[in-house]
């Protein structure tokens, strides 16, 4: 069975997802396999956490959504870590969405900074 929606319906669903997740959510990337469901505890190693802007996505248009504002995060791991899945959480920490990352993203960092100075140098951003 194949299901298709028109643009207006897709826009409404996408905007409802953003409303449900709420303002200033957190986006986390982890190594390993995605947990069984959103209520399950995270697995693997947390690679990065981003706190997104209050209005983190533009209004849906043409059946798609674009990110809004500046998305930035803090890396928590060092060395070469491969992201296996992500989780989107409310600002209060409730997981609302998760999914696998099917294309391996390798982020190689440099640990050449002083202690408590979280500056990372990426050898590549592609």
């Amino acid at each position: 069975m194949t299901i298709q929606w028109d643009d207006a319906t897709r826009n409404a669903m996408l905007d409802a997802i953003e409303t449900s997740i709420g303002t200033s959510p957190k986006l986390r990337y982890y190594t390993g396999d995605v947990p069984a469901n959103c209520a399950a505890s995270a697995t693997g190693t947390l690679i990065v956490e981003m706190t997104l802007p209050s209005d983190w996505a533009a209004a849906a248009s043409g059946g798609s959504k674009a990110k809004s504002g500046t998305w930035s995060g803090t890396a928590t791991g060092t060395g070469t870590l491969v992201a296996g899945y992500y989780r989107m959480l409310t600002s209060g920490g409730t997981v609302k969405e998760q999914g696998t990352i099917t294309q391996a993203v390798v982020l190689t960092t440099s640990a050449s900074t002083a202690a408590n100075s979280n500056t990372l140098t990426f050898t590549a951003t592609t």
Side-chain angles (χ1 to χ4, degrees):
M1 173 164 65
T2 300
I3 298 173
Q4 297 179 343
W5 291 284
D6 67 343
D7 283 353
T9 303
R10 290 194 320 248
N11 291 343
M13 291 187 313
L14 291 168
D15 288 336
I17 291 168
E18 181 184 9
T19 298
S20 176
I21 293 172
T23 58
S24 303
K26 297 178 189 308
L27 176 60
R28 294 177 179 163
Y29 290 91
Y30 293 88
T31 63
D33 296 326
V34 66
N37 55 60
C38 290
S41 296
T43 60
T45 301
L46 178 63
I47 298 173
V48 66
E49 177 176 287
M50 298 181 191
T51 298
L52 306 186
S54 179
D55 183 13
W56 53 278
S61 176
S64 65
K65 246 175 142 47
K67 73 180 191 77
S68 291
T70 301
W71 294 30
S72 62
T74 302
T76 58
T78 59
T80 301
L81 301 171
V82 178
Y85 72 97
Y86 73 93
R87 291 185 124 183
M88 181 79 79
L89 301 83
T90 66
S91 59
T94 302
V95 178
K96 291 289 204 164
E97 176 186 338
Q98 67 179 15
T100 57
I101 298 172
T102 56
Q103 180 177 350
V105 177
V106 178
L107 300 176
T108 303
T109 62
S110 168
S112 61
T113 59
N116 298 321
S117 176
N118 294 327
T119 302
L120 298 175
T121 303
F122 292 96
T123 57
T125 59
T126 56

